[in-house]
Amino acid sequence: MAQSLEFLLIQFLMPDNDARRQAEDQIKRLAKDPQVVPALILHLRTAKTPNVRQLAAVLLRKKITGHWSKLSPQDKQLVKDSLIQSITLEHSPPVRKASANVVSIVAKYAVPSGMWPELFPFLFHSSQSPQEDQREVALILFSSLTETIGNAFRPHFADLQALLLKCLQDETSNRVRVAALKAVGSFMEFTHDGDEVIKFREFIPSILHVSRQCLASGEEDVAIIAFEIFDELIESPAPLLGDSVKSIVQFSLEVCSTQSLEPNTRHQAIQIISWLAKYKSNILKKHKLILPILHVLCPLLAESTNEDEDDDLAPDRAAAEVIDTMALNIPKHVFPPVLEFASVSYQNANPKFREAAVTALGVISEGCLELMKKNLEPVLHIVLAALRDPEQMVRGAASFALGQFAEYLQPEIVSHYEGVLPCILNALEDVSDEVKEKSYYALAAFCENMGGDILPFLDPLMGRLLASLQNSSRILKGTCMSAIGSIASAAEQAFFPYAERVLELMKNFMVLTNDEDLRSRARATELVGMVAISGFGLEYSELWEYTHGFFSNIAEILGDSFAQYLPHVVPLAFSSCNLDDGSAIDIDDGDDEIANGFEGVSSDDEAHDELRVRNISIRTGVLDEKAAATQALGLFAQHTAVSYAPYPLLDT
């Protein structure tokens, strides 16, 4: 087999595709025999060209698992000895690394059973060899072995940590330092014991040093390993960072603000700041790192995004997410510097900075809501000015920010409706569909809680929205319907004059069947429901009855997705259930005559021939309404299950 296999290995590496396919078929046939293992080992050690030796190692790694148990003890020993010789004596780095990959597979079977006691002493010895190649390949093996026999390292963990730290600080070889960094990353993923993990804290300065060198030499993929290690340290409940957090933050800020680096590298750096804000916010406060972080991240919001760049990796988007996380976790430390940045930047000649100013205010509105409510005047001054900006990107960001304010800064934001609503009305006429869409979003969120304050604006609002509903793009029609729904909810009975026109338009949307139109159909269905709810303001039982039926059907269609509407429809159903369902009268005249002493006075004796009926209930339309409401409650409970559980059986 050995001779024929050597020919096939050479043939497999030829540029001729037909020859390669023939060789591949023959190799597959031979590989079914366990004796392919010693044959491949022979070529790994003796083939004249490195690419043939490397191919032998690659094939060996694929086939050793299936054949290991079938090998004789002599062949198993041959494999182990030959692999160590290859790692020790081989001059080609690719062949050494391929051999190391085979070692990690063989070790999976040989080490736990005690069949390879010489492996660990060999690795520790090689990692301290004066030869750079041997130190590097030993560290590569340490990395790969954690995946197959990680538990076997536990008795040696202290020695291994000392060794890795020494190799991280290797004074003569960058290759060894890089291999050590990768090995540390592998062991960090494997190690979960707090006492073991905490020892890695002293590695941080060396990790930072190696990572900076890797970035300088263009090895960004290696430098990213540092962020993966820091991620493990940050998420650990053990106090692993100490004063090193300042160095980690400084390094992360350097990386994320360096535009020449790859987006993924910068994104990894920004994520470290995000994890620190989420898991270790007290450390950021203790070491006074919040201001330095925001002084870098806020300007990142103004960075132009490459059109070919993945949006999820874009620095401006990632920075916005981190600022949002910081606002949620340390709001009182975030709001002042962000407001200062916005106050300066909204007048910047660069429109990207004006956009960044209002974006920053928008993203912190959830976390910093209490502070923003107290400072609405200066905040709204900035955003409303941006809503009139000549640049589309700035107006769009301002519309987004207003929508965030309307969602999170209730009820205080509504008191500013006289200044805000006219600005949103103007934005609805913007030349940009993007600005219009965000303005509809802002309008919907703003109007929902206005109540009667919306009445002076009702006619101009509905005039523009109804016109837009007929003339806009598909996406805008959806957001427009959402805004109309919010207005209907706020206006209640005052919305009735517009209801017929809205429902007429909804007919067109509710019969759409194309995939691209289903979102508009869903919005239309929701809007019809909002109009139906507004109908409960009318004293007309039949309307209420059929409206309960409408919501029953929708609940049956949507299932648990209907849960979001329960707060609106359940109270209405309870209200109907609690109505008086008719009149009861008592007409037993005989009792009255006896009670008043008039028995026998009547000259019409036949009047007493029929029994008098007591407590006649006169059925009204209210009874049908109550029946529909009761059925609706049952269907709500059936189709939304857990979401309905907090509601009582009947509101009394």
Side-chain angles (χ1 to χ4, degrees):
M1 179 186 288
Q3 290 183 346
S4 60
L5 184 59
E6 180 180 12
F7 172 76
L8 291 172
L9 292 175
I10 295 171
Q11 186 178 352
F12 185 83
L13 295 170
M14 289 181 176
D16 187 308
N17 289 333
D18 291 335
R20 289 187 62 184
R21 273 193 294 271
Q22 292 175 14
E24 184 178 4
D25 291 340
Q26 290 296 316
I27 289 172
K28 285 181 179 179
R29 183 179 60 79
L30 292 175
K32 295 177 181 179
D33 185 345
Q35 286 306 303
V36 75
V37 173
L40 287 170
I41 281 289
L42 174 66
H43 296 304
L44 170 64
R45 294 296 304 120
T46 62
K48 295 180 180 179
T49 57
N51 55 353
V52 173
R53 297 197 297 274
Q54 183 182 2
L55 177 58
V58 170
L59 292 174
L60 189 61
R61 183 178 184 274
K62 292 182 178 180
K63 300 303 175 184
I64 194 73
T65 297
H67 292 317
W68 180 256
S69 62
K70 304 169 190 173
L71 297 178
S72 67
Q74 293 79 10
D75 283 340
K76 289 179 179 178
Q77 191 61 46
L78 172 67
V79 169
K80 294 183 290 184
D81 292 344
S82 298
L83 289 172
I84 287 179
Q85 290 171 10
S86 177
I87 290 171
T88 306
L89 304 175
E90 176 63 57
H91 297 294
S92 167
V95 178
R96 283 199 307 273
K97 291 179 181 179
S99 298
N101 289 333
V102 182
V103 169
S104 66
I105 301 298
V106 173
K108 180 179 179 179
Y109 304 101
V111 171
S113 60
M115 294 174 60
W116 206 351
E118 63 270 29
L119 178 60
F120 282 4
F122 164 73
L123 290 176
F124 278 100
H125 176 76
S126 296
S127 62
Q128 301 175 71
S129 167
Q131 296 182 31
E132 177 188 37
D133 292 343
Q134 290 196 22
R135 298 200 303 278
E136 180 189 23
V137 78
L139 290 165
I140 291 171
L141 266 171
F142 278 129
S143 296
S144 61
L145 286 170
T146 57
E147 299 177 10
T148 54
I149 56 166
N151 284 323
F153 283 110
R154 292 202 178 279
H156 311 280
F157 210 80
D159 292 338
L160 183 57
Q161 283 186 313
L163 172 65
L164 291 176
L165 182 58
K166 179 181 178 182
C167 291
L168 269 176
Q169 299 168 347
D170 193 297
E171 296 179 356
T172 60
S173 172
N174 184 57
R175 281 166 44 197
V176 171
R177 292 192 294 271
V178 168
L181 179 63
K182 293 179 178 179
V184 171
S186 297
F187 277 97
M188 281 297 301
E189 291 181 12
F190 169 76
T191 306
H192 301 291
D193 182 85
D195 292 335
E196 293 176 345
V197 175
I198 200 168
K199 295 177 183 177
F200 282 104
R201 182 161 63 182
E202 60 187 285
F203 284 52
I204 293 175
S206 297
I207 291 171
L208 290 170
H209 178 67
V210 175
S211 298
R212 282 193 169 94
Q213 288 182 320
C214 290
L215 289 175
S217 62
E219 297 176 277
E220 294 184 34
D221 57 327
V222 179
I224 286 175
I225 295 172
F227 295 120
E228 294 170 355
I229 294 171
F230 297 151
D231 187 7
E232 294 286 337
L233 293 174
I234 291 166
E235 292 193 36
S236 171
L240 302 179
L241 299 178
D243 290 342
S244 295
V245 70
K246 291 187 284 189
S247 301
I248 292 174
V249 168
Q250 181 182 355
F251 176 64
S252 300
L253 293 177
E254 288 173 12
V255 172
C256 72
S257 59
T258 303
Q259 296 188 23
S260 59
L261 295 175
E262 289 294 323
N264 184 49
T265 306
R266 301 177 68 192
H267 188 265
Q268 294 286 343
I270 293 176
Q271 283 300 109
I272 291 300
I273 306 296
S274 181
W275 297 142
L276 284 168
K278 187 173 183 179
Y279 297 108
K280 307 287 183 181
S281 57
N282 287 332
I283 291 182
L284 294 182
K285 290 188 286 187
K286 176 183 175 182
H287 292 280
K288 299 182 176 13
L289 292 168
I290 298 168
L291 271 178
I293 289 172
L294 290 173
H295 284 163
V296 170
L297 293 187
C298 285
L300 274 186
L301 296 174
E303 185 172 316
S304 297
T305 302
N306 189 325
E307 292 183 1
D308 297 329
E309 196 172 282
D310 184 348
D311 284 345
D312 291 336
L313 300 179
D316 54 348
R317 179 168 178 172
E321 291 175 357
V322 177
I323 294 171
D324 181 23
T325 301
M326 294 177 70
L328 290 168
N329 289 277
I330 37 180
K332 65 181 181 180
H333 296 273
V334 169
F335 178 71
V338 170
L339 179 60
E340 181 182 358
F341 168 78
S343 300
V344 173
S345 299
Y346 91 100
Q347 301 180 77
N348 195 298
N350 185 340
K352 287 296 294 182
F353 273 89
R354 301 200 299 275
E355 178 190 26
V358 285
T359 298
L361 293 174
V363 297
I364 68 169
S365 56
E366 180 182 6
C368 300
L369 59 92
E370 295 302 331
L371 289 163
M372 294 192 76
K373 287 178 180 180
K374 296 175 182 177
N375 293 272
L376 265 177
E377 290 287 349
V379 167
L380 282 175
H381 177 74
I382 294 170
V383 174
L384 294 181
L387 203 59
R388 300 185 297 270
D389 196 277
E391 292 290 339
Q392 169 191 326
M393 67 177 75
V394 183
R395 299 194 304 275
S399 298
F400 161 78
L402 276 180
Q404 295 292 99
F405 295 169
E407 184 172 352
Y408 297 114
L409 306 185
Q410 297 287 350
E412 286 79 359
I413 186 70
V414 174
S415 64
H416 294 265
Y417 69 88
E418 291 179 336
V420 174
L421 211 49
C423 293
I424 297 179
L425 273 167
N426 289 335
L428 296 179
E429 301 294 326
D430 201 278
V431 295
S432 162
D433 277 1
E434 181 183 354
V435 175
K436 286 180 181 177
E437 182 183 3
K438 292 177 180 177
S439 298
Y440 285 132
Y441 158 65
L443 181 65
F446 194 84
C447 291
E448 191 169 357
N449 296 288
M450 282 187 67
D453 290 333
I454 201 172
L455 299 183
F457 301 93
L458 191 55
D459 199 54
L461 275 172
M462 289 305 301
R464 294 190 186 186
L465 292 175
L466 289 173
S468 297
L469 204 53
Q470 300 173 75
N471 304 317
S472 299
S473 65
R474 181 184 294 114
I475 293 176
L476 286 181
K477 286 177 181 177
T479 52
C480 179
M481 283 186 271
S482 180
I484 293 174
S486 294
I487 292 170
S489 178
E492 296 182 345
Q493 296 186 35
F495 187 78
F496 297 155
Y498 309 96
E500 183 177 356
R501 179 66 178 137
V502 170
L503 293 175
E504 187 66 30
L505 289 171
M506 291 307 100
K507 288 181 183 178
N508 300 323
F509 292 103
M510 295 183 72
V511 295
L512 299 175
T513 57
N514 293 333
D515 289 348
E516 62 270 21
D517 294 319
L518 293 182
R519 184 176 180 84
S520 294
R521 179 170 178 168
R523 290 283 193 183
T525 304
E526 180 182 46
L527 179 52
V528 170
M530 298 299 294
V531 175
I533 288 176
S534 70
F536 278 89
L538 297 172
E539 296 296 329
Y540 188 55
S541 289
E542 190 172 2
L543 175 61
W544 287 44
E545 173 193 348
Y546 288 115
T547 303
H548 289 310
F550 169 79
F551 287 123
S552 297
N553 292 330
I554 295 298
E556 198 166 0
I557 294 169
L558 295 183
D560 195 53
S561 298
F562 188 77
Q564 59 183 309
Y565 304 110
L566 291 178
H568 301 287
V569 298
V570 171
L572 298 175
F574 282 155
S575 176
S576 292
C577 287
N578 288 325
L579 290 174
D580 184 355
D581 60 354
S583 303
I585 59 173
D586 190 334
I587 56 173
D588 192 345
D589 294 335
D591 291 340
D592 291 338
E593 290 177 356
I594 295 172
N596 291 287
F598 294 140
E599 66 272 26
V601 172
S602 174
S603 61
D604 185 4
D605 292 337
E606 292 180 1
H608 296 281
D609 289 346
E610 297 289 332
L611 292 175
R612 303 291 183 175
V613 180
R614 298 177 57 88
N615 299 325
I616 295 177
S617 178
I618 301 174
R619 182 181 179 122
T620 68
V622 172
L623 192 60
D624 293 326
E625 176 189 335
K626 292 182 72 169
T630 304
Q631 184 182 31
L633 289 173
L635 289 168
F636 297 162
Q638 177 183 347
H639 294 292
T640 64
V642 176
S643 301
Y644 187 83
Y647 293 95
L649 293 178
L650 188 63
D651 187 18
T652 56

